[in-house]
Amino acid sequence: MKIYKIPTELKAIIFDIDSTLYTNAKYAFEQVDVQVRYYASLHSMTNEEARNMVSEYRKKWAEEHNGQKISLGNTLKAFGVPISESIKWREQLIEPADFLSKDEKLITTLRELEKKYTLICVTNNPVLPARKTLDALGVSPFIKDIIGLDTCGVSKPALEPYRLAVEKCECSAENCISIGDRYDIDLALPLEMGMGAIEVSGVTDVYELINVFSCFFEKSNV
């Protein structure tokens, strides 16, 4: 866990979902690879050729942008697949329940956090597979709303989904904190907007958020 900033008047937590609210390497890989394989099938390519194409594009993009990462949605967009088509692919191809199950520790954590803060998710998946993911984990009741790829039509990092998240949380950006596993995708822009930010390496770090916030606010009140 890497803490960049915690707002002194925290009112809302904006979670990324994938590889943040769960840790499952097989599912994280499959979400990407199933789309790459589908792209290959549409363009008379082998799966390996498509994987290499995506990998090389992302590598080159990072080299040209100071090491920053690019999302799969924006990568596919560069290959001529509009975001609207990416949304359809993800809705058809991604099945979270095949990989995920109820996480009692996460349920306990989000139940406690929801008592104090508004919880919302901003994800690069469409709302449908995102909601299926939260349902599989057993945490849907604690999440006020999901802002997905199909909500604003743009892939993180982008201002639109985070602006909408702040609006739905009914507070200012300075009262929000973004939690995610990728700095460039989930945290850099929220920090520029004035939010707090914590980078996690997986769901085990999310389990610790109650203690992290408790310790921070205890120190702040000393």
Side-chain angles (χ1 to χ4, degrees):
M1 180 187 298
K2 185 172 182 179
I3 300 172
Y4 290 91
K5 177 184 175 184
I6 298 176
T8 54
E9 294 185 19
L10 180 60
K11 297 181 180 179
I13 303 173
I14 301 172
F15 285 106
D16 172 51
I17 295 178
D18 298 299
S19 295
T20 296
L21 294 182
Y22 67 84
T23 302
N24 187 310
K26 186 176 180 180
Y27 180 45
F29 173 81
E30 177 63 11
Q31 281 195 70
V32 173
D33 200 60
V34 70
Q35 296 176 73
V36 174
R37 297 196 306 269
Y38 189 67
Y39 179 90
S41 72
L42 296 177
H43 292 82
S44 302
M45 304 171 67
T46 67
N47 292 339
E48 200 59 33
E49 286 172 339
R51 290 178 186 126
N52 289 337
M53 185 176 70
V54 168
S55 178
E56 287 301 314
Y57 180 85
R58 286 177 140 179
K59 180 180 178 182
K60 183 178 179 181
W61 195 93
E63 290 172 350
E64 294 173 350
H65 294 82
N66 299 315
Q68 295 179 33
K69 296 179 181 179
I70 184 172
S71 68
L72 180 64
N74 284 332
T75 299
L76 290 174
K77 185 178 178 182
F79 295 157
V81 180
I83 293 295
S84 59
E85 192 66 19
S86 289
I87 291 167
K88 294 177 184 178
W89 290 11
R90 293 173 192 235
E91 289 178 338
Q92 295 169 2
L93 299 171
I94 297 174
E95 287 298 336
D98 291 343
F99 298 86
L100 304 175
S101 58
K102 276 191 176 182
D103 184 336
E104 294 298 339
K105 284 188 177 181
L106 183 64
I107 291 170
T108 298
T109 299
L110 297 193
R111 180 186 290 120
E112 289 304 307
L113 290 173
E114 193 257 348
K115 292 176 181 178
K116 292 184 177 181
Y117 313 109
T118 299
L119 309 185
I120 197 167
C121 287
V122 175
T123 174
N124 275 346
N125 266 326
V127 171
L128 177 60
R131 181 58 71 184
K132 287 182 178 180
T133 298
L134 298 182
D135 287 343
L137 295 170
V139 297
S140 271
F142 313 116
I143 303 299
K144 178 181 179 180
D145 210 336
I146 299 172
I147 297 171
L149 186 61
D150 48 341
T151 307
C152 297
V154 291
S155 184
K156 296 187 293 183
L159 280 171
E160 293 90 338
Y162 286 108
R163 283 175 175 164
L164 182 57
V166 171
E167 180 181 325
K168 287 181 176 291
C169 290
E170 300 179 340
C171 60
S172 67
E174 290 74 16
N175 300 128
C176 299
I177 189 166
S178 182
I179 312 289
D181 66 301
R182 298 173 296 177
Y183 177 82
D184 297 328
I185 305 296
D186 304 316
L187 308 179
L189 191 55
L191 281 168
E192 289 180 16
M193 295 172 67
M195 296 187 201
I198 296 178
E199 183 176 353
V200 297
S201 58
V203 71
T204 54
D205 284 344
V206 176
Y207 300 154
E208 299 299 318
L209 288 177
I210 294 172
N211 292 333
V212 168
F213 292 148
S214 294
C215 290
F216 174 80
F217 290 115
E218 283 177 8
K219 290 179 181 178
S220 298
N221 292 327
V222 172

